[in-house]
Structure formats: C-alpha cells, structure tokens
Amino acid sequence: MSMITKLRVITIDVTGTLIAYKGELGDYYCMAAKAVGLPCPDYKRMHEGFKLAYTEMAKKHPCFGFAEKIPNIVWWKTCVRDSFVRAGYDYDEETFDKIFRRIYSTFGSSAPYTIFPDSQPFLRWLRGKGVIVGIVSNAEYRYQDVILPALGLHKGSEWDFGVFSGLEGVEKPDQRMYEIALERAGNIAPGEALHIGDSMRKDYLPAKSVGMHALLLDRFKTPDAQNWRKSGAIVLPNLVAVQDWLSSQQKDT
C-alpha cells in the first residue's frame, strides 16, 4: 500500500518549503531608502539589525502582537524602526514613515517572494487524490489573504485551510499549531496526517509529538540535513521527490 492511500490530510510549511525570498532583506530596505532620496543602507548591518529587532519583537509581542491586539502595521513599524536604529540609521519621523510605507507595502505583496516550480503541481496533485491540504506557518494574515494568492497558491484550488500564527495566537514549534490543523481538517486522527516542512525544531518534532507522520525538505542542501537523517527523519530534496515517495509502496504498512 502506498503512503498516499493511508493519509487523509497533509499539512505543509510555507517559507523554504513552498516559497522562498528573492534576494536579500537589505535589497528591499535599500530600495526603500533610495526611493526617498537617501543613500543605500549597509546590507550587512541592516540584516544583522533586522535579525536582532525581529527576535526582540517576537519575544516581547509574540504572534505579531496577537494577545495584545497590536495592529499588524504597528507591530511591523516598531520592528522595522528598531532594525534601522540597530543598524545605525535613526531617521526623523517623516523620513522613516516614507521608508516604512514602501517596505510594508513590498512585503505585503508577491514582489519579494518566488514560488518553487513544484509547489502548485504538488498541492493540486494532493487535492486531486482527495487529500485535505492545510498550510501551517509562522506568518501574519497577509500570507493567507494576499501573498499566497498572488503567487498562485489559492485557497480552494491549492489548499483547503490555513493555520497562521498571526491569526491563531500560537506559533511553531508549539504543538498546538498541529492540533489546530487536525481539528480544522475535520478532527482527523494524527496517524492519518503528514506534515512537510524544512525545520527539525519547528516542523518535524512538534508534528511527530502529536502523532502525525512528518518529513523534511532539504531544498538548499543544508549541513543540518545529515543530522536529520541520522535522527531517523525522512529527508527529501523537493516536492517531486515527496510525490514519488508518497506514491511508492511502503514496506512498513
């Protein structure tokens, strides 16, 4: 019996699994600054500043400020301002507003992202097999409402339901994300569900902890993949390989 015949729902991560960022964060911050007549910020400093600012914001106000009902744009404005300050750029309010509006608009569109060529065919293949497809992502509402549809990943044709941290108030690796997914799929038994992602900590381990099947994608040949395999995880290079794996006869049936 092939694996696909044993599954009723497959959940899948977004960034690094279905889509990826185009270029570097600094590219977009630089373009925004140049658009208002300022010199381009230092890419490396900008990237490091953003990492620190984002980590701090996610710690203080998790799930994009869900519990405190912080508006999405306010959460990001605080984060982006702190990113610039940490990188050594402290603009006046009017200048920063112009820069931020461009950055917020850009990252709320499909512009900074690219979809892997195997993503849409794979999701459609799953749904054609009668499998329920869910998106499980540490992302804010714009992924669901704007970004995924703009990239050709539509609810109803490529996926059936989403579990987004900014809308749920929990985030991976909290296993509650996966429990919500099983509930949303129609209270499917964990043993009839598979999760696909690219992080051992955020995807594989929490999905397995609730009793789901799980596998990892290694699209970028990460050094971590060797340890993933050693720990017993199924690691595949892309969704074409996942489709082949799901269709093949499994020995452990």
Side-chain angles (χ1 to χ4, degrees), residues 26 30 35 40 59 63-64 76 79-81 94 113 115 128 133 144 151 154 162 185-187 213 234 238 250-251:
C30 181
C40 194
K59 190 175 169 184
C63 303
F64 307 96
W76 277 113
C79 183
V80 171
R81 178 181 276 292
E94 186 182 351
Y113 309 97
I115 181 171
V133 176
Q144 172 177 264
L151 291 166
H154 300 273
N187 292 311
H213 301 279
I234 294 163
N238 52 48
Q250 303 295 317
K251 293 175 183 176

Side-chain angles (χ1 to χ4, degrees), residues 40-228:
C40 194
D42 181 282
Y43 280 31
K44 191 171 187 302
R45 277 163 48 198
M46 207 63 247
H47 183 66
E48 291 305 313
F50 174 78
K51 280 202 301 187
L52 292 168
Y54 183 87
T55 301
E56 183 75 9
M57 278 298 288
K59 190 175 169 184
K60 281 186 176 176
H61 312 286
C63 303
F64 307 96
F66 178 90
E68 300 146 285
K69 295 183 170 57
I70 298 172
N72 194 63
I73 193 167
V74 173
W75 193 97
W76 277 113
K77 190 171 187 178
T78 307
C79 183
V80 171
R81 178 181 276 292
D82 192 29
S83 301
F84 276 108
V85 170
R86 287 171 185 265
Y89 303 97
D90 197 357
Y91 302 119
D92 64 80
E93 192 63 34
E94 186 182 351
T95 303
F96 174 70
D97 268 348
K98 290 176 184 172
I99 295 172
F100 172 72
R101 278 201 302 272
R102 287 180 176 274
I103 291 171
Y104 189 74
S105 174
T106 298
F107 282 94
S109 74
S110 61
Y113 309 97
T114 182
I115 181 171
F116 293 111
D118 56 6
S119 296
Q120 190 186 67
F122 176 72
L123 297 179
R124 289 187 173 184
W125 175 76
L126 288 179
R127 295 185 79 248
K129 291 283 186 184
V131 175
I132 301 164
V133 176
I135 302 289
V136 179
S137 176
N138 282 354
E140 36 115 331
Y141 78 93
R142 291 184 298 172
Y143 262 52
Q144 172 177 264
D145 296 351
V146 183
I147 295 164
L148 291 180
L151 291 166
L153 299 177
H154 300 273
K155 187 175 182 180
S157 56
E158 281 75 39
W159 50 283
D160 297 289
F161 69 90
V163 183
F164 296 90
S165 61
L167 295 171
E168 307 296 342
V170 290
E171 60 190 5
K172 299 187 290 185
D174 191 327
Q175 70 179 49
R176 180 68 189 136
M177 288 284 278
Y178 298 92
E179 292 168 350
I180 292 169
L182 292 170
E183 290 164 11
R184 206 149 286 170
N187 292 311
I188 304 291
E192 296 178 298
L194 166 74
H195 179 68
I196 303 166
D198 67 338
S199 167
M200 174 64 83
R201 187 177 73 88
K202 294 180 181 178
D203 293 302
Y204 187 86
L205 292 175
K208 293 287 277 186
S209 75
V210 300
M212 293 171 68
H213 301 279
L215 64 81
L216 289 165
L217 281 199
D218 179 30
R219 288 194 184 272
F220 305 107
K221 294 184 168 54
T222 172
D224 293 337
Q226 195 174 344
N227 291 328
W228 297 347

